[in-house]
Amino acid sequence: RRSHARGLDDSKRQPVRTLSLVYAPTRPGKHYICGGCAGMANIMMTFPVKKVIFRQQVFDVPTTEAIRQLQRDGMRTLYRGMLPPLLQRTTSMAFMFGFYNDLSRLLPRPAGTPGLLTSSMAAILAGTMGATLTPFERIQALLQDHRHHGRFNNTFHVFRTLVQDYGVRELYRGMGPILLRNGPYNMLFFGLRGPIKNSLPEAESHAGHLVSDFVCGGLLGATLGLLFYPLNVLKACKQTQVGGKFQSSWQVLRTIWSERGGKLSHLYRGAHLNYHRSLLSWGITNAVYEFLRKVM
């Protein structure tokens, strides 16, 4: 009789256990929150380095001269323009990780096709959606350019001035290079992240997993940053222009190439510093994302 009662109790408890197993892993918004927090941590730690790289991309100056420019501007303006990348990075990382995971689940997987095809499509679509955040990068570029320090006061002033004086379209100047960058970048990042981590020594502790995630994200982000660096130079040069004709990316690239003497090394000015910044920033992003994903 006792065993029969135990069986009844077990049968009553069974649905509760089944429900928890079904619903716990699919907590709504989890990947968006983890990605957003990872992006926020990244920008807060690496913004000054990013600003030095921006000066090199736009003005074709060595690292020492870019640092001297920031020193002349003073500490008061060192973090000028941080709000747009903070908002942009937080939102874009939320989109990147959140949309990728959602689309990977929702996109159909036709019989006979590898899962890699679906995950690649999900990554490209997530990157394309992230390009809608172009206005954040546009405003950031203007606030970081010292030629516009006397014209624009802050993020909201830039936004209001561009919309009132030039129209909404002006906010999306430079969107072409961003579209060319985001899709392929996401596809390579999500496609290679797993294999790179699997090639590292197996972690046996929480700290070990954190280090592995940092190394994996850092190496991958730094390598991809170097690969797509010319697109970032093109984007920066297009976005520092206010008003005037919207030139094609090809036209702007030809102008940059001509002004820099046709030297590939000048097109990669600042790339070495960007490599080390990407190593740090993507290491932070990947490690924070994976840590939050596991604890939430």
Side-chain angles (χ1 to χ4, degrees):
R1 196 180 293 116
R2 241 186 253 114
S3 64
H4 178 65
R6 228 177 7 250
L8 288 174
D9 290 340
D10 288 343
S11 66
K12 290 177 182 177
R13 286 194 296 268
Q14 184 65 29
V16 176
R17 287 200 300 270
T18 303
L19 285 172
S20 66
L21 288 173
V22 170
Y23 290 109
T26 56
R27 182 180 299 169
K30 173 181 176 179
H31 295 284
Y32 293 91
I33 295 171
C34 294
C37 290
M40 184 183 297
N42 166 22
I43 287 297
M44 293 179 72
M45 295 181 187
T46 63
F47 182 75
V49 181
K50 186 177 178 68
K51 199 163 186 178
V52 172
I53 295 167
F54 172 82
R55 292 293 178 92
Q56 293 185 271
Q57 290 174 338
V58 175
F59 301 112
D60 187 28
V61 294
T63 304
T64 52
E65 175 57 27
I67 293 173
R68 276 197 291 268
Q69 285 184 8
L70 295 182
Q71 288 175 335
R72 286 195 295 267
D73 292 343
M75 281 296 297
R76 187 174 60 84
T77 61
L78 181 61
Y79 281 88
R80 175 185 166 90
M82 189 177 78
L83 182 58
L86 188 64
L87 295 174
Q88 185 268 339
R89 195 69 170 180
T90 300
T91 311
S92 66
M93 289 298 100
F95 279 9
M96 178 178 172
F97 287 102
F99 277 142
Y100 171 74
N101 282 278
D102 283 350
L103 292 171
S104 296
R105 286 188 299 103
L106 296 175
L107 287 176
R109 293 175 180 262
T113 60
L116 180 61
L117 183 63
T118 300
S119 61
S120 297
M121 183 58 68
I124 291 172
L125 289 174
T128 302
M129 291 177 182
T132 59
L133 302 172
T134 297
F136 288 117
E137 296 194 45
R138 168 69 162 140
I139 294 171
Q140 174 194 351
L142 293 175
L143 287 174
Q144 289 186 150
D145 188 347
H146 69 275
R147 294 173 299 183
H148 298 295
H149 280 185
R151 182 175 184 182
F152 299 118
N153 299 326
N154 52 48
T155 299
F156 303 104
H157 185 226
V158 176
F159 179 85
R160 187 174 66 251
T161 302
L162 292 182
V163 173
Q164 288 178 350
D165 295 351
Y166 304 99
V168 175
R169 187 186 178 204
E170 189 70 25
L171 292 172
Y172 288 88
R173 190 183 288 271
M175 188 175 183
I178 293 174
L179 281 170
L180 291 173
R181 177 197 66 188
N182 281 13
Y185 192 108
N186 280 13
M187 182 181 70
L188 292 172
F189 181 83
F190 286 114
L192 297 175
R193 190 171 57 143
I196 289 177
K197 185 172 181 180
N198 292 337
S199 68
L200 297 174
E202 187 175 354
E204 299 180 353
S205 64
H206 292 301
H209 279 291
L210 202 62
V211 172
S212 293
D213 290 328
F214 180 90
V215 172
C216 168
L219 288 175
L220 186 54
T223 304
L224 293 179
L226 195 62
L227 179 64
F228 290 97
Y229 190 78
L231 284 175
N232 284 328
V233 173
L234 177 60
K235 174 189 72 73
C237 290
K238 291 185 76 171
Q239 292 188 330
T240 52
Q241 179 185 344
V242 179
K245 183 181 177 182
F246 275 70
Q247 293 182 308
S248 69
S249 295
W250 176 245
Q251 288 176 312
V252 176
L253 184 60
R254 286 178 60 185
T255 301
I256 296 171
W257 182 261
S258 175
E259 289 176 348
R260 301 188 182 187
K263 294 182 179 179
L264 187 62
S265 59
H266 284 209
L267 192 61
Y268 273 85
R269 182 83 78 177
H272 68 288
L273 188 57
N274 185 69
Y275 181 88
H276 293 96
R277 183 198 66 84
S278 296
L279 192 69
L280 177 61
S281 65
W282 277 104
I284 292 170
T285 298
N286 197 51
V288 171
Y289 170 79
E290 289 296 336
F291 172 76
L292 293 175
R293 185 178 65 83
K294 291 168 186 174
V295 300
M296 283 186 67

